[in-house]
Amino acid sequence: MSDRPTPARTRFAPSPTGYLHIGSLRTVLFSWLWARHTGGQFLLRIEDTDRKRFVEGAEEQLTSSMQAIGLMWDEGPIVGGPHAPYKQSERLDIYQAHAASLIEKGVAYRSYATAEEIAALNAEREARGEPKLLVFRNLPGIDDAAREAAGEPYNVRLSLKTTGKTIVHDLVRGQIEFDNAALKMPDPVLLKTDGFPTYALAAMVDDHLMGITHVLRADEWLPTWPIHHQIYEAFGWEQPVWVHVPQVLGSDGKKLSKRHGDTSVTEYIELGFLPEAIVNYLALIGWSYDDKTEFMTLEELIERFDLNRIRPSGGVFDRDKLLHFNGVYLRNLAAADLSQRIAPYLSKAGLISAEPTAAELAKVAEYLPLVQERIKLLSEAPELLDFFFVDPQGYDPALLVPKKGDPAQTVEVLGQVKASLEALETWDSPSLDKLLHDFVNQLGLKIPQVFMPIRVALTGRTTSPGLFETMAVLGKAVTLARISTAAAALSSASV
Ligand code: GLU
């Protein structure tokens, strides 16, 4: 068994139990890429049959995270499709009918033993030194026929095979043989007493009915895989291509968790990680194109993605590396595109209006090149750009004084430099560069003695974009006014 012929149908089948985590998104991405690579379809199915773990609003969170990242589905909630409904709680009759058909075939049975009765029987068996129950019918003290006649509640269990072998094939790990006699697993529940299916029944039935050709799922399902395999066999269905994707680890090699940055995808987006950077970086966790190429566009990823290159050893999520990817992607964005993406952050910080005008966007586009080299997250934009929009306030005037300088001398330098600048006619970066260097030389000063006070006066901080470019963009009037304000603040602070 190897790859099915293209096009493939893959799916993401989340349970609405919480946020979509950045680590789980990697496996989803692999499914999505494989569907796109083969020109097939990617489905979204909501597995909400475990009512105890159900979280209100989680489904909306999941769908909006997927949309924000740009991984749209061809069939599923919102978009519909030929196999609707795509929410398992709306398909109960389908699972019940399938469970009934397995009972009819004699490969599943109704079990009337309650959880308490099973626990009591197991306790007795343990006391006698016997192994726990694996089969849940014809149990001592339980008259199945009488309970059936009385219409008592039951669940439906699959009769697991106890002879022969279950031979399974996984695309990442190859063939694995399980000796059925050695499995020693309790017959799994397919349908619970409340008529809701378990994952084992619902997912297998849906994967089959929805024509899923490649089941990509986390490798935490490996231990129960023989059950899933046997459910396919019990129905007499052809197995899908199974792809157990190795888990994503933290940089310390341990299971990925919050402390490694495994938080919600929404949080990553809000911080200003770009969807394309996230997708590119995640694709490289446990998969590679040629062991060296790192930066790939979405089109290249789709073109190159190959299930056969998923590494069985898994991969590491390193938030710093993602941050690096994000910086590279941000630097490569065209100014107009970057301004559009940055605008919501500036609006939120009150630096531009909530519905930015064309003039405001043009300003943003003018300022951006000055910080594009340094920005790593969109959310850093207000901090990096605020002084372009508003006069710096609240900085300590002591910052104006360069190392080894003194306040009085700095006030004097600011006054002199202001006078020179006032006389400058062509206000652009090269002219400012020349003027300030000449000024330093004529007065026999050191560069920091002049540049630092101006930098702080204009920006309120000691690091900033290039000084001449900043002055050019701010304009003559604003530059001179800020220098005056700074000089006044410093002289009154040092009196
Ligand atoms: N609903 C299951 C989960 O969220 C899906 C597992 C699978 O992909 O088959 O874990």
Side-chain angles (χ1 to χ4, degrees):
M1 210 195 307
S2 65
D3 275 290
R4 293 269 185 95
T6 53
R9 282 173 67 84
T10 63
R11 75 344 182 237
F12 173 38
S15 301
T17 53
Y19 296 119
L20 176 57
H21 284 227
I22 194 92
S24 334
L25 185 63
R26 195 283 317 258
T27 305
V28 183
L29 175 64
F30 284 4
S31 282
W32 187 90
L33 284 172
W34 186 241
R36 291 287 171 272
H37 174 76
T38 61
Q41 294 87 35
F42 172 71
L43 281 69
L44 177 63
R45 182 173 74 225
I46 304 297
E47 302 205 327
D48 59 345
T49 59
D50 189 346
R51 306 312 284 179
K52 287 200 265 323
R53 292 175 61 224
F54 183 80
V55 173
E56 199 59 53
E59 183 185 335
E60 291 67 30
Q61 269 283 343
L62 283 162
T63 50
S64 59
S65 304
M66 297 277 290
Q67 285 166 323
I69 289 289
L71 299 185
M72 243 350 253
W73 49 100
D74 306 299
E75 293 175 30
I78 306 171
V79 298
H83 300 283
Y86 290 90
K87 197 189 273 200
Q88 290 187 327
S89 60
E90 294 168 10
R91 303 169 59 81
L92 298 184
D93 52 338
I94 298 176
Y95 311 123
Q96 288 161 4
H98 278 81
S101 80
L102 290 185
I103 297 174
E104 212 155 285
K105 278 184 159 186
V107 290
Y109 58 89
R110 293 189 180 83
S111 168
Y112 289 90
T114 65
E116 294 73 31
E117 287 168 334
I118 292 170
L121 286 169
N122 273 335
E124 285 169 23
R125 291 171 69 92
E126 210 177 337
R128 293 197 298 270
E130 291 172 17
K132 286 189 173 168
L133 288 169
L134 300 179
V135 176
F136 303 84
R137 59 176 164 180
N138 304 325
L139 295 173
I142 298 173
D143 186 341
D144 291 336
R147 291 193 185 187
E148 184 170 356
E152 287 194 22
Y154 59 87
N155 58 25
V156 177
R157 288 186 187 255
L158 179 74
S159 281
L160 282 182
K161 293 178 182 162
T162 50
T163 57
K165 284 184 191 313
T166 299
I167 301 172
V168 294
H169 191 277
D170 177 80
L171 209 63
V172 180
R173 282 150 226 269
Q175 187 153 302
I176 308 175
E177 286 191 17
F178 294 96
D179 196 345
N180 291 334
L183 280 180
K184 301 219 183 312
M185 288 186 183
D187 284 346
V189 174
L190 300 177
L191 209 59
K192 296 176 269 187
T193 24
D194 60 4
F196 274 71
T198 55
Y199 164 77
L201 179 67
M204 301 313 116
V205 166
D206 284 346
D207 282 344
H208 173 73
L209 295 182
M210 295 179 180
I212 300 303
T213 57
H214 294 69
V215 172
L216 278 87
R217 58 178 187 177
D219 65 359
E220 65 189 19
W221 294 102
L222 279 171
T224 47
W225 184 23
I227 295 174
H228 307 141
H229 208 273
Q230 286 197 25
I231 291 175
Y232 266 86
E233 285 174 354
F235 282 115
W237 295 334
E238 190 190 344
Q239 302 279 337
V241 177
W242 295 98
V243 189
H244 288 96
V245 184
Q247 58 179 296
V248 179
L249 304 171
S251 33
D252 52 4
K254 304 223 169 81
K255 193 174 161 24
L256 192 65
S257 69
K258 207 167 178 171
R259 94 196 132 83
H260 301 111
D262 189 26
T263 51
S264 72
V265 169
T266 331
E267 201 173 307
Y268 274 82
I269 296 284
E270 277 167 8
L271 277 170
F273 282 93
L274 302 177
E276 50 269 58
I278 297 178
V279 162
N280 187 164
Y281 176 66
L282 289 183
L284 301 173
I285 301 182
W287 176 81
S288 70
Y289 170 54
D290 57 4
D291 296 322
K292 55 177 194 290
T293 309
E294 288 199 312
F295 289 93
M296 286 175 264
T297 62
L298 190 59
E299 289 67 35
E300 284 167 339
L301 285 171
I302 292 173
E303 170 71 27
R304 296 170 182 179
F305 187 73
D306 179 358
L307 291 176
N308 292 305
R309 288 192 62 90
I310 295 179
R311 278 191 299 275
S313 54
V316 165
F317 173 79
D318 179 349
R319 193 180 183 280
D320 291 339
K321 184 103 197 254
L322 173 56
L323 200 56
H324 165 70
F325 266 67
N326 207 52
V328 172
Y329 269 87
L330 280 169
R331 283 193 282 288
N332 286 333
L333 284 182
D337 189 358
L338 186 55
S339 324
Q340 287 285 354
R341 301 205 210 199
I342 269 179
Y345 294 86
L346 298 178
S347 300
K348 214 169 149 201
L351 297 171
I352 56 173
S353 13
E355 300 282 336
T357 61
E360 282 174 325
L361 286 177
K363 267 188 175 180
V364 178
E366 187 190 356
Y367 303 152
L368 274 175
L370 277 74
V371 298
Q372 205 163 352
E373 280 307 309
R374 287 197 294 145
I375 188 164
K376 284 205 173 112
L377 289 172
L378 293 174
S379 57
E380 292 169 351
E383 199 188 310
L384 289 171
L385 292 170
D386 58 359
F387 60 84
F388 285 116
F389 297 92
V390 286
D391 290 341
Q393 269 159 16
Y395 65 88
D396 179 358
L399 283 184
L400 292 158
V401 183
K403 261 189 214 139
K404 294 190 197 147
D406 68 74
Q409 188 202 18
T410 307
V411 172
E412 202 184 315
V413 166
L414 282 171
Q416 287 170 326
V417 87
K418 188 184 161 228
S420 302
L421 288 167
E422 255 162 0
L424 183 68
E425 275 168 22
T426 315
W427 193 266
D428 61 16
S429 181
S431 316
L432 288 159
D433 183 338
K434 182 170 182 324
L435 180 141
L436 290 178
H437 279 100
D438 288 350
F439 179 86
V440 166
N441 293 335
Q442 278 155 20
L443 274 84
L445 295 165
K446 297 226 159 57
I447 283 185
Q449 286 178 292
V450 177
F451 286 22
M452 185 54 84
I454 304 178
R455 186 185 305 282
V456 175
L458 298 182
T459 68
R461 59 199 72 168
T462 51
T463 51
S464 76
L467 186 60
F468 319 124
E469 290 82 358
T470 303
M471 293 169 84
V473 165
L474 284 174
K476 188 169 183 174
V478 172
T479 302
L480 297 179
R482 288 188 187 177
I483 292 176
S484 295
T485 310
L490 185 58
S491 55
S492 56
S494 45
V495 212

